[in-house]
Every structure is written in C-alpha cells, then in structure tokens.
Amino acid sequence: MELAYYSDYAVRLVNTEEPTRGKDALTSVDAVRGLFGANQSAARRATEADLTRFRSVRGRLRSVFEAADGGDETLAVDLLNSLLLEFPVSPQISGHDVRDDDGRPLWHMHLADHPSNATAGYAAIAAMGLAFHLTEYGVDRLGLCEAPPCRNAYLDTSTNRSRRYCSDRCATRANVAAYRARKRLETGRADSTGRAAESAQTTSASGER
C-alpha cells in the first residue's frame, strides 16, 4: 500500500491554511484541483461548491493532527474514524501500466473512491491514508510544526521519532531563534555577574576605609 502517498493527501489539505498567520490558500477551484496532483481525472470533478466542503474537511483533519500533537490518542482516532465512516473507499488491486523486468504488472493495493463530488473523493483517500499511517507508525507520528508561528501538519517518518518541524526551513529558523535566545541569556548572565563583581568590589573598598 502506498501509505506515504495517500497520507500526504491529508497533509497537503491541512497545510493550505495557516491559522496563526490568517492565511488561506484554498480560495479557488484551481487551488482545489491542484491538491489532487497527478490524479487529474478526479481533479476535473471539482466545482465552486467544493471550496466550502474542502474547508470543512480541512478543519476536521487538522483536529486529528491537533489531538495527536496534544497527546490525546483516543480523540485523534475517534475524529479520524468519523471521517472514515462518512467518506468510505473501496480497496482494489491495481497494476496500472507499470511492469517488472519480466513484463508482468507490478500489482499493489489501490484506494478506489466512488464519490458524489470531488470533496468526498479527496476526503476518502486522505482519511484512509492517514488511518494507515496512524496504525502502522503510531499516533505520535502525526505532528504540528513547533516553529512559531507555523503550525503546519507533518508525518514523522524518522527512525527515532524525533521530527518536530514541518520543513528544513522551519527547523533552521527555530534553531537560529534558539541560538539567539541562548546568546541573550549568556550575555544577561555575564552582565549580571559583572555587576555583582563591581558591587562586591565597591563594598570591599568601602569597608577598607
């Protein structure tokens, strides 16, 4: 099963919005269609009506990530299960046009959706992909970026469960901010130590008089 591919549907949709910055990239039908990537046949089903529906699903998917990031595994699973019930898919074996060295199809599991609209199709695949990722790797592998003000969603696939940021850019920004904070603290301590030493010298000089 192409776990990373399907679960990325959820990440892509959630990250069209940056709540803390008041930014929303999901403002047109073209933006909705862009989320489908190479699946252009599904993308062509999108209409203006899908904008509102996509935003609703986006909020529900973000709630899954927020619950997981907050350590509430049960809530994360319950929220995801509600999406799975509302937007079901049918697993099918597919070979597409990919062949192995012997010319045989490279069979794999494919999530086939039978939606009434583009939102239902996208939500079904996103929810199922996220469910596979959660059950395979654990709820704590669903995270939200720790570099303020960014709160983008990400899927932690690191070997030691150490991912904390959505991108290298955010990781670098957070590391620079942490370094500057340490330098300010060190400078403050040095100034405080210097003032204490000067005060002690003054007190000592006064006592000698």
Side-chain angles (χ1 to χ4, degrees):
M1 185 72 70
E2 300 171 341
L3 297 177
Y5 175 78
Y6 286 124
S7 55
D8 191 53
Y9 269 59
V11 174
R12 287 204 303 268
L13 178 53
V14 171
N15 291 346
T16 59
E17 182 183 31
E18 297 181 69
T20 57
R21 291 184 172 128
K23 294 183 178 180
D24 187 349
L26 207 58
T27 58
S28 67
V29 176
D30 285 341
V32 169
R33 289 172 178 164
L35 290 169
F36 286 89
N39 192 354
Q40 289 304 300
S41 60
R44 283 192 290 271
R45 292 197 297 260
T47 67
E48 288 286 345
D50 284 297
L51 274 172
T52 300
R53 291 193 288 255
F54 259 76
R55 290 180 185 134
S56 175
V57 171
R58 178 180 63 188
R60 294 170 67 183
L61 286 170
R62 176 171 282 279
S63 293
V64 175
F65 279 92
E66 288 174 343
D69 188 66
D72 194 336
E73 295 191 16
T74 301
L75 177 58
V77 169
D78 286 346
L79 292 171
L80 190 50
N81 272 336
S82 69
L83 284 164
L84 291 170
L85 287 171
E86 186 173 344
F87 302 106
V89 295
S90 302
Q92 294 181 351
I93 299 173
S94 175
H96 298 304
D97 296 323
V98 183
R99 303 278 172 169
D100 62 17
D101 294 337
D102 296 324
R104 295 178 302 182
L106 292 176
W107 301 113
H108 62 276
M109 292 300 295
H110 174 75
L111 298 181
D113 59 283
H114 307 285
S116 56
N117 55 66
T119 305
Y122 193 98
I125 293 174
M128 184 61 75
L130 203 56
F132 277 124
H133 193 96
L134 185 151
T135 54
E136 179 73 15
Y137 300 109
V139 177
D140 58 343
R141 292 293 187 137
L142 278 60
L144 293 173
C145 187
E146 293 184 12
C150 180
R151 293 294 283 166
N152 275 352
Y154 65 83
L155 299 171
D156 185 0
T157 56
S158 64
T159 56
N160 56 356
R161 300 173 183 263
S162 61
R163 185 169 178 179
R164 296 163 54 202
Y165 308 106
C166 68
S167 64
D168 290 340
R169 179 181 179 182
C170 276
T172 299
R173 183 161 54 83
N175 289 334
V176 169
Y179 171 79
R180 289 174 177 171
R182 287 196 301 272
K183 295 301 289 184
R184 286 195 298 270
L185 182 59
E186 291 170 2
T187 300
R189 286 175 176 171
D191 290 344
S192 178
T193 301
R195 287 193 296 271
E198 290 176 1
S199 177
Q201 290 175 354
T202 302
T203 302
S204 176
S206 298
E208 290 175 357
R209 294 195 193 96

